[in-house]
């Protein structure tokens, strides 16, 4: 899943990665991200990442810990599917919303299929589907040991890896 969040959730002024010519001298992202928005490091920008948690930055893997999943009270079918995906696989923080909100990224064509399957809209700010999303986002934890040598944080996966997109 692709996750988007308001900029104040992100890493703040701490140096997260060494500045290099390949990342434009920026430091405000974590593996597997290879860059971040230009305003990330710009103190003059009102959109600069202003958070205090150095692990919550573009590229961060977020997941609902398996041991907490049963305490997340979701009531809709899509809420249960999103929760299951975030428990088994997690989701990467890929961008910010540049507003006081959060979002999930879905593949093209999902909007119509979602409306048909669930009689709901992806764009919501009220009701049980919205309440589920809020509870799920509140239950997310940062996987701090996600790295090239421990993809997903290491340990025993809860589910087999997804098949390759391009076999």
């Amino acid at each position: 899943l692709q996750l988007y969040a308001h900029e104040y959730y992100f890493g703040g002024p701490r140096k997260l990665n060494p500045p290099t010519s390949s990342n434009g001298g920026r430091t405000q992202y974590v593996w597997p991200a290879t860059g971040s928005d230009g305003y990330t490091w710009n103190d003059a920008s009102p959109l600069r990442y202003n958070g205090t948690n150095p692990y919550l930055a573009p590229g961060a893997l977020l997941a609902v810990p398996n041991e907490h999943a049963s305490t997340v009270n979701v009531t809709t079918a899509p809420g249960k599917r999103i929760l299951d995906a975030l428990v088994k696989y997690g989701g990467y923080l890929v961008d910010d919303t540049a507003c006081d909100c959060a979002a999930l990224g879905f593949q093209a064509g999902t909007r119509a299929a979602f409306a048909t399957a669930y009689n709901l809209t992806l764009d919501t700010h009220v009701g049980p589907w919205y309440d589920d999303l809020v509870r799920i986002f509140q239950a997310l934890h940062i996987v701090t040991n996600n790295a090239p040598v421990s993809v997903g944080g290491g340990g025993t996966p809860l589910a087999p890896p997804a098949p390759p997109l391009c076999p």
Side-chain angles (χ1 to χ4, degrees), residues 65-154:
N66 190 41
E67 61 271 17
H68 297 290
S70 64
T71 67
V72 183
N73 182 25
V74 292
T75 61
T76 65
K80 291 173 184 174
R81 291 187 71 183
I82 296 293
L83 176 61
D84 185 59
L86 288 170
V87 168
K88 290 180 179 171
Y89 301 103
Y92 284 97
L93 188 55
V94 298
D95 205 350
D96 70 88
T97 58
C99 65
D100 193 10
C101 61
L104 294 171
F106 293 93
Q107 70 185 40
T110 301
R111 188 173 304 280
F114 185 88
T116 300
Y118 301 115
N119 196 30
L120 295 167
T121 177
L122 286 175
D123 302 316
T124 184
H125 62 280
V126 66
W129 165 231
Y130 173 80
D131 295 340
D132 281 356
L133 291 175
V134 169
R135 288 185 202 103
I136 292 166
F137 269 73
Q138 289 172 336
L140 288 169
H141 288 226
I142 306 164
V143 179
T144 58
N145 61 338
N146 183 45
V149 296
S150 59
V151 177

Side-chain angles (χ1 to χ4, degrees), residues 1-12 16-17 28-37 39-40 49-51 53-63 86 89-99 101-105 137 140-143 146:
L1 290 174
Q2 296 176 338
L3 305 174
Y4 303 79
H6 182 50
E7 66 272 359
Y8 67 74
Y9 292 121
F10 297 140
L16 299 175
N17 283 299
Q28 300 304 100
Y29 56 89
V30 296
W31 184 89
T34 58
S36 60
D37 295 324
Y39 55 77
T40 303
Y49 300 141
N50 292 310
N53 188 329
Y55 297 105
L56 189 58
L61 176 61
L62 306 176
L86 288 170
Y89 301 103
Y92 284 97
L93 188 55
V94 298
D95 205 350
D96 70 88
T97 58
C99 65
C101 61
L104 294 171
F137 269 73
L140 288 169
H141 288 226
I142 306 164
V143 179
N146 183 45

